[in-house]
Amino acid sequence: MSKNIILSTDSYKHSHFIQYPPGAKFVSSYIEARRGSDRDQILQFFGLQAFIKEYLMKPITDDTIQEASSILEGHGLPFNESDWLTIADEHRGFLPIEIQALREGAIVPRGVPLVQVRNTDPRFPWLTSFVETALLRAIWYPSSVATLSFITKAVIYDALRRTSEDPDGQVLFKLHDFGARGVSSGESAGIGGAAHLLNFRGSDTVEALAFIHRFYYPSGVPGFSIPASEHSTMTSWGKDREADAYRNMLKEFGHGLFSIVSDSYDLFNTVDNIFGQELKNDILALEGALVVRPDSGDPIETPIAVVKKLWDAFGGTTNSKGYKVLNPKVRVIQGDGMNGLSIARLVTRMVEEGFSIDNIAFGMGGGLLQGHMRDDMRFAMKANAIDFGNGWVDVQKKPATDPLKASKAGRQAVISDASGKLTAIREDALPQDGRNELEVVYKDGRQFNTLYWEDLTAHAHMQLVDFCDTVMKRTEEEEAAAA
């Protein structure tokens, strides 16, 4: 796949250099996830630093321009070769633009600008909008994955705080990424998988580890997995030797945590009779623990039944919060049929049945990494100001046929209010001593405010705690008002 920024755009963008009004010198645009009907909607911002390093820190050369020219020749649009050659010669091939952005990992109300871009060379006002396609694509997808991961983590964490004695330690491994095979490309796996690991530590998407190491500088391994069986390795033993297949797993991997897919033939027979009787003593003697994986049946009631059967066979304890915790040698993971809604339902059922969320983990595949579109959170990049040499003049889109598509007028700033909530204001309304949360991260070939992985993940978890506290407080207030 080409990393040529001249080609990483929509075709029609190549005609825009002759569409701006005469005398235009600078154009400003911003990116946001526009508000929907629910004004409490949030997102988690992620992915910009990787784009900057991968696309903007590699200079345009004469060869880059020639490649673009040869591909676009006869395509039906003018090619602005002279401006690109000027950028290559006078700007060392680096785009003369400035990008401001919020801190990645931030939890942001929809309708608040995430990024603001302007050109820095007055000869190229067209350049601001030219990068829209690549820049927007670099943000909407990982932010969508991160948002789903964060919201799911909030659901799990809330239940853990009610049912577990160690919610902060437990939550990091409660949602596992199984999405690598369900995405459109290896690059998508890396980007989306990294977005998930912003909130959790469990993943089978190896490309995500490489992505994080390349762009976010972790000090150690950013994600973990465990040995696990699949149906091919279990059914290859034959139905008559099903117990032998499981016994082999205990023998090879019983020194640590490992998972067995258990529904190749009869899930409940496996749990009741093979695990619960024939192999019970072997399981109790493990140094590690067996994680039972149902992979068919009702995605809510089947894992509940498995947890109950393991309780009957192996017992456990009741913790200080009054919830049952299985014998530490057995746990359950449910991946089949899991999405944000079904995880919330399964969490609720576990709590209703009196079991701690300590007992179960969850997995998501294509629903985590692939089930997203740009319009889900209405991501858009819009021009908000233009400068003809005498200062910024407002630019705004305001369609009468869809007021929700109205864009912001004027250069933007973002402030943090007294409660810590991010709010958009006009840049010219920023108090003299006020802090603009939109900080410069790229300008004229230089990267600023580099982010490091451990700082991102720590900040993300801190925001999770604040988010859950806020939601809990609001729920209590609403219940008190209703009473």
Side-chain angles (χ1 to χ4, degrees), residues 438-453:
L438 290 171
E439 296 185 320
V440 176
V441 293
Y442 172 90
K443 186 175 183 179
D444 301 339
R446 295 183 62 192
Q447 182 182 351
F448 300 90
N449 294 304
T450 299
L451 300 167
Y452 296 89
W453 188 248

Side-chain angles (χ1 to χ4, degrees), residues 184-424:
S184 58
S185 68
E187 184 177 43
S188 295
I191 296 169
H196 166 71
L197 288 173
L198 191 60
N199 296 298
F200 291 93
R201 297 292 178 274
S203 177
D204 263 33
T205 302
V206 179
E207 289 100 329
L209 310 184
F211 181 91
I212 293 167
H213 274 283
R214 185 174 182 183
F215 298 116
Y216 290 93
Y217 319 109
S219 60
V221 180
F224 303 89
S225 188
I226 61 173
S229 70
E230 66 178 26
H231 288 109
S232 69
T233 61
M234 296 297 92
T235 57
S236 63
W237 290 73
K239 185 175 182 180
D240 292 343
R241 301 179 65 199
E242 182 182 6
D244 292 333
Y246 300 150
R247 187 177 287 108
N248 180 66
M249 290 290 293
L250 269 60
K251 173 178 174 291
E252 296 295 336
F253 304 112
H255 55 279
L257 200 63
F258 66 103
S259 173
I260 295 180
V261 62
S262 308
D263 72 327
S264 294
Y265 308 107
D266 185 339
L267 171 66
F268 294 145
N269 176 69
T270 297
V271 176
D272 285 335
N273 299 315
I274 301 179
F275 293 154
Q277 295 186 37
E278 186 175 350
L279 298 179
K280 180 176 180 177
N281 290 335
D282 297 306
I283 292 170
L284 290 172
L286 293 173
E287 294 179 43
L290 162 65
V291 182
V292 178
R293 178 163 72 94
D295 199 47
S296 57
D298 185 281
I300 310 302
E301 296 306 322
T302 299
I304 293 291
V306 169
V307 169
K308 288 181 175 180
K309 288 176 179 294
L310 290 173
W311 176 266
D312 291 340
F314 293 92
T317 59
T318 300
N319 66 19
S320 61
K321 295 186 176 181
Y323 289 87
K324 290 183 276 191
V325 181
L326 288 169
N327 186 301
K329 300 302 179 181
V330 287
R331 290 291 183 265
V332 175
I333 184 169
Q334 177 66 23
D336 182 57
M338 290 291 95
N339 54 45
L341 292 176
S342 59
I343 287 175
R345 289 173 55 210
L346 179 49
V347 164
T348 299
R349 286 286 291 115
M350 285 285 292
V351 175
E352 288 174 349
E353 292 290 341
F355 284 97
S356 170
I357 306 303
D358 288 350
N359 297 299
I360 193 166
F362 312 91
M364 255 201 276
L368 177 64
L369 299 191
Q370 186 71 12
H372 307 277
M373 295 189 296
R374 179 175 69 90
D375 287 338
D376 291 344
M377 289 197 285
R378 307 181 74 237
F379 277 91
M381 179 171 171
K382 297 299 174 186
N384 58 347
I386 190 167
D387 185 347
F388 292 93
N390 297 306
W392 292 110
V393 177
D394 288 0
V395 172
Q396 185 181 27
K397 169 187 176 181
K398 199 171 183 179
T401 50
D402 188 352
L404 288 176
K405 283 192 171 183
S407 63
K408 291 175 168 58
R411 287 274 295 175
Q412 297 290 298
V414 176
I415 60 171
S416 181
D417 65 19
S419 67
K421 183 179 179 180
L422 296 174
T423 304

Side-chain angles (χ1 to χ4, degrees), residues 175-188:
L175 180 59
H176 201 87
D177 170 14
F178 292 121
R181 71 186 62 183
V183 292
S184 58
S185 68
E187 184 177 43
S188 295

Side-chain angles (χ1 to χ4, degrees), residues 102-166:
L102 299 179
R103 178 178 180 175
E104 291 188 46
I107 302 304
V108 187
R110 287 192 26 198
V112 171
L114 306 170
V115 173
Q116 189 164 235
V117 187
R118 68 177 182 92
N119 60 299
T120 59
D121 187 322
R123 294 172 292 179
F124 312 129
W126 55 269
L127 190 55
T128 299
S129 181
F130 186 87
V131 300
E132 174 187 3
T133 307
L135 184 56
L136 194 57
R137 184 171 57 203
I139 292 170
W140 79 257
Y141 169 64
S143 296
S144 297
V145 177
T147 301
L148 174 58
S149 180
F150 177 85
I151 292 173
T152 305
K153 186 178 181 182
V155 169
I156 297 169
Y157 185 64
D158 175 68
L160 280 168
R161 293 207 296 189
R162 288 183 282 129
T163 68
S164 171
E165 294 176 344
D166 182 27

